[in-house]
Amino acid sequence: MRITGTRYTIDKKPNVLEMRHQGRVVAKFEYVGKTLNDLSDEIWEDLKRKGTTVLKGALKDELATLFPGIRVTGPLK
């Protein structure tokens, strides 16, 4: 999944989301047991440290497409 407005993509692997920039893995985020809000905050803060500005709500909506049928406050599997 491509993060809209950036050159970053996120790939879902078992137990980990990999953030890629121009094909190289630049960060990994474990998602098992976390909520969608926690995960989107963690990714948003990492992008902010890298100097990339994204809307937090838009990022959360895009991440929700990777986990179909989940609740926003429920744990990810």
Side-chain angles (χ1 to χ4, degrees), residues 3-8 21 44-54:
I3 300 175
T4 305
T6 68
R7 293 184 178 189
Y8 291 95
H21 183 260
W44 182 80
E45 289 171 2
D46 190 61
L47 286 170
K48 187 176 177 184
R49 268 183 261 136
K50 289 176 175 26
T52 303
T53 305
V54 214

Side-chain angles (χ1 to χ4, degrees), residues 26-40:
V26 292
K28 293 183 180 184
F29 304 97
E30 291 188 22
Y31 61 84
V32 176
K34 294 183 182 178
T35 64
L36 184 61
N37 288 333
D38 294 339
L39 186 62
S40 63

Side-chain angles (χ1 to χ4, degrees), residues 7-9 11 18-27:
R7 293 184 178 189
Y8 291 95
T9 59
D11 297 325
E18 292 182 344
M19 184 186 310
R20 295 177 180 267
H21 183 260
Q22 297 180 346
R24 292 189 309 246
V25 176
V26 292

